Amino acid sequence: MPDYHIPLIPGQQYHVFNRAIGDEKMFRDKSDYPFFLQRYQKHVLSVADTYCYCLLPNHFHFMVKIKDETSIKKHFLEVKNKPFHCELISDFIMERFSNFCNSYTKSINKVYKRKGSLFINFLRRVKIETPSQFKRATFYIHNNPVNHGYLTKIDKWPWSSYNSIFSDKPTFLLREEVLKIFGGKQGFIQYHNRKGKVEYC
């Protein structure tokens, strides 16, 4: 059984994910999806770059690369009124993800007149350690809507990064790094055309 509570370390890659509590839905309206991504960019991009993502009605997946220690220290000093110490890094990174989820929850509670927590009480994470695991995790994330029976083709789900990898529009994704690992667009497409469920842990 993987340890989903590992610390987030500068320079390392992780698959991070979480889900709504009980039978709750994270997204009740189509407009909630882009708003969620806006909250993510506001709170998380200061400490982590993003390779890919997928948002489903009751849970989300991101694959990220935690920024280097110098960048995180700079952001820490911008938002905290206290000296920086290396042992604070992991907690500070987790705090950014927590602020992201809390910010979205507060907005959803206000809009839909609900109360209390929206997410389970911790962010799960799996460290990505090899190019092979990176590929499997990317496919797992993009294929999640198919696994859950929402549709039959990866490219038809509007709330994942799959189609953004091919776009020429500006993006917060590490698009070129993703394509490089897959050997280009054609390699990316071929890998994602595989059938069946893929485990990567």
Side-chain angles (χ1 to χ4, degrees):
M1 185 70 178
D3 179 3
Y4 291 131
H5 300 82
I6 58 175
L8 298 176
I9 304 299
Q12 300 300 309
Q13 300 169 344
Y14 299 88
H15 171 199
V16 298
F17 50 103
N18 206 344
R19 59 161 293 137
I21 58 174
D23 295 326
E24 289 267 11
K25 287 188 175 182
M26 290 168 44
F27 309 109
R28 301 190 186 187
D29 184 82
K30 289 182 178 180
S31 63
D32 295 336
Y33 289 93
F35 179 73
F36 182 83
L37 289 175
Q38 290 172 8
R39 296 289 90 189
Y40 174 82
Q41 292 177 69
K42 177 179 179 179
H43 292 282
V44 175
L45 293 193
S46 56
V47 296
D49 293 312
T50 309
Y51 293 109
C52 62
Y53 68 86
C54 188
L55 313 180
L56 287 94
N58 69 344
H59 66 286
F60 68 81
H61 298 267
F62 288 93
M63 188 153 65
V64 303
K65 179 180 180 180
I66 305 302
K67 291 183 181 291
D68 61 84
E69 184 176 322
T70 300
S71 298
I72 294 174
K73 177 181 178 180
K74 179 180 178 181
H75 184 59
F76 180 96
L77 295 174
E78 289 172 351
V79 300
K80 297 286 188 180
N81 187 26
K82 60 182 181 181
F84 173 82
H85 299 288
C86 293
E87 61 268 21
L88 300 174
I89 287 182
S90 184
D91 287 344
F92 178 66
I93 295 168
M94 283 303 303
E95 184 182 74
R96 301 301 97 190
F97 281 93
S98 178
N99 287 352
F100 152 55
C101 291
N102 289 338
S103 171
Y104 182 74
T105 298
K106 289 178 181 179
S107 297
I108 290 300
N109 285 354
K110 183 177 181 180
V111 171
Y112 297 111
K113 303 186 188 313
R114 69 177 299 279
K115 295 181 179 180
S117 300
L118 178 60
F119 300 96
I120 58 174
N121 61 2
F122 62 91
L123 179 77
R124 297 184 179 187
R125 50 265 191 198
V126 175
K127 189 176 180 181
I128 306 298
E129 301 186 272
T130 67
S132 178
Q133 188 187 17
F134 182 99
K135 291 180 180 180
R136 295 196 304 272
T138 302
F139 173 77
Y140 176 89
I141 290 169
H142 286 150
N143 196 53
N144 221 242
V146 177
N147 279 342
H148 288 280
Y150 289 106
L151 35 66
T152 59
K153 293 185 177 181
I154 291 176
D155 62 349
K156 300 302 180 184
W157 187 251
W159 306 115
S160 88
S161 55
Y162 180 83
N163 290 307
S164 296
I165 299 298
F166 305 106
S167 174
D168 293 326
K169 296 179 180 179
T171 180
F172 66 89
L173 302 173
L174 295 175
R175 178 188 288 149
E176 297 304 318
E177 289 191 30
V178 173
L179 290 175
K180 183 177 181 180
I181 290 175
F182 281 92
K185 290 185 179 181
Q186 193 58 39
F188 182 86
I189 293 171
Q190 289 177 351
Y191 197 96
H192 282 75
N193 281 339
R194 60 174 51 203
K195 304 294 182 181
K197 193 172 183 178
V198 171
E199 299 294 342
Y200 66 92
C201 302

